[in-house]
Every structure is written in structure tokens, then in C-alpha cells.
Amino acid sequence: AQKITQTQPGMFVQEKEAVTLDCTYDTSDQSYGLFWYKQPSSGEMIFLIYQGSYDEQNATEGRYSLNFQKARKSANLVISASQLGDSAMYFCAMRERELGSSNTGKLIFGQGTTLQVKP
Amino acid sequence: DSGVTQTPKHLITATGQRVTLRCSPRSGDLSVYWYQQSLDQGLQFLIHYYNGEERAKGNILERFSAQQFPDLHSELNLSSLELGDSALYFCASTRSSGGEDNEQFFGPGTRLTVL
């Protein structure tokens, strides 16, 4: 079965510094998608960035970039120049495909990493 | 604002009761996904509808059911509620039926508390 693992329950980073949040995945599919979401204390899930398994370049969106290492099955999120507003829970997710099932874009999620940015 | 709306934002009810959670997808999106976020189970996929048809089912209890209407809004019905059903329920929407989308936008969630 496909699986997402986030091994860092909590992280601290100094304001204005960069931080890397780890995500490893397990799948036998050749085609898959990887997503990162931010969940602040208010509870909403904010989409940050997407990486397709066939994308040759690492995805970037503003201060967010995804360090995609396919052979190692890792998709780490890098946040540059951290801001106080980056303090939140971060989730890595993978679009799962089941053999023989209808096409679906359902996501499976990791356990999340809580990031705290210190002033 | 993701463009996905969910009502109500909060819901407090008693064990044994039945509630309905509502979701309206982003304009133009045909797929609606429901997820449950609880402290012990984390974020789990419940069910996926595409253009009115059920496409995939996850760890959804038999006491739970969902449907997607012709105007594409979706409702998640939870019945015979138990304390363990207390959770944050999200819906998300995408344009296609599955593997083509490079984004999946979530609504603000409905926080259900069962007393």
C-alpha cells in the first residue's frame, strides 16, 4: 500500500532562516503526484505546492520549493526566509491510485510536522 | 480563499443524532472529496464523487453516507453519532476525475463535536 512518512513531529527555525521539512513516500506506481499543505492554528488546509512524478525540475512557488529525489522516494519541502506567519502544521500528501479502480485523485497524508518560527 | 465553501463551520450535537455537512466545490470543479481529521487517525480520505457518481471509497463507516447533487454540491450525512466521530471534516475539489490535477483545494472545514 502507498504510504507517506513525515519523521519530524516538530521543528523550530529562526525567523529569516531556511528550513527543510522531510517527507518520504512508498509507492509502486510510476505515475503519482505529491502535494504539500499548510494548516495554521485556525484549521484550514492551504495548498502550497505540487510535484508530478514525471516532472524533471523541482517545483517552486514563491518561498516554497520541493526537493524531489525520485530514486530516494523523498519530497522535502524547503521554506526559505522563514516568517512568523509560517508557524503551522505542514502535511505531505500523495495522490493514490488503486489498481483496477476508477480514476481518482484521493490523497493519502503523512502525520504532519509542526513548524514554529522564532523571532 | 480556496473557493470551496463548507457549512456549517461548527456543529455541536449529541450521541445518537444525525447531521448533514454541506460542501460547494470551486466553480468549474466536478470532483468533490471528503476527508476526516481526528487526533488519533490523522487526515483520512472518506469518499470521492465525480459529476454525481461515486468514484472511490476510503475508511468511511457504514453510518456515514454522501452524495453529489446535479448542481455539484455535496453532502456528507453522519448518523448514529458516537463520541469518536468528533473531528474536523474537510471537503476538497478538483476539475478532473483524478490523476490529472496538479492541485486540490480544500474548504475551511466543519468542526463536529459530539457530546
Side-chain angles (χ1 to χ4, degrees):
Chain A
Q2 296 170 321
K3 190 179 176 183
I4 291 278
T5 302
Q6 295 180 254
T7 56
Q8 306 153 313
M11 293 272 292
F12 286 94
V13 65
Q14 205 67 38
E15 195 178 7
K16 297 180 186 173
E17 290 186 352
V19 63
T20 298
L21 306 183
D22 293 342
C23 172
T24 57
Y25 60 91
D26 187 19
T27 181
S28 54
D29 280 350
Q30 296 302 307
S31 176
Y32 50 89
L34 296 155
F35 299 72
W36 275 93
Y37 287 87
K38 171 185 178 182
Q39 186 176 39
S41 58
S42 50
E44 71 267 32
M45 292 286 285
I46 302 167
F47 168 72
L48 295 178
I49 197 167
Y50 168 85
Q51 179 84 43
S53 58
Y54 290 119
D55 294 341
E56 293 187 353
Q57 293 202 340
N58 287 341
T60 60
E61 287 287 348
R63 294 186 299 111
Y64 304 108
S65 60
L66 203 151
N67 184 1
F68 181 46
Q69 298 188 42
K70 198 169 178 177
R72 298 179 64 181
K73 292 188 176 178
S74 75
N76 299 338
L77 178 70
V78 180
I79 305 175
S80 62
S82 296
Q83 302 172 356
L84 295 178
D86 294 334
S87 294
M89 178 87 99
Y90 288 81
F91 289 94
C92 180
M94 179 166 61
R95 181 173 50 226
E96 183 180 38
R97 188 200 304 270
E98 292 176 353
L99 288 176
S101 72
S102 300
N103 192 20
T104 177
K106 66 178 183 178
L107 300 179
I108 55 168
F109 287 85
Q111 308 91 312
T113 295
T114 300
L115 176 68
Q116 289 195 333
V117 180
K118 294 185 192 178
Chain B
D1 185 354
S2 67
V4 181
T5 61
Q6 287 187 251
T7 56
K9 194 166 176 60
H10 300 279
L11 200 46
I12 301 175
T13 188
T15 54
Q17 295 297 305
R18 173 189 169 93
V19 297
T20 297
L21 312 184
R22 184 187 168 108
C23 168
S24 292
R26 289 188 317 158
S27 177
D29 284 0
L30 298 177
S31 272
V32 170
Y33 301 83
W34 286 97
Y35 296 90
Q36 178 196 57
Q37 184 178 28
S38 61
L39 282 174
D40 51 346
Q41 300 285 340
L43 260 164
Q44 285 199 103
F45 164 75
L46 294 178
I47 198 163
H48 167 210
Y49 276 86
Y50 174 73
N51 205 20
E53 291 186 2
E54 182 184 303
R55 276 301 179 102
K57 232 172 186 176
N59 296 323
I60 187 167
L61 299 170
E62 285 191 13
R63 301 183 284 108
F64 296 3
S65 65
Q67 54 184 325
Q68 186 179 28
F69 294 87
D71 67 352
L72 301 176
H73 90 272
S74 178
E75 292 180 358
L76 179 67
N77 300 296
L78 315 177
S79 62
S80 303
L81 285 168
E82 301 175 0
L83 296 178
D85 298 328
S86 295
L88 190 50
Y89 291 84
F90 288 105
C91 79
S93 74
T94 64
R95 295 209 183 276
S96 79
S97 61
E100 301 79 25
D101 298 292
N102 59 5
E103 56 195 11
Q104 187 170 130
F105 290 99
F106 280 66
T110 293
R111 187 170 294 279
L112 173 66
T113 303
V114 183
L115 301 175

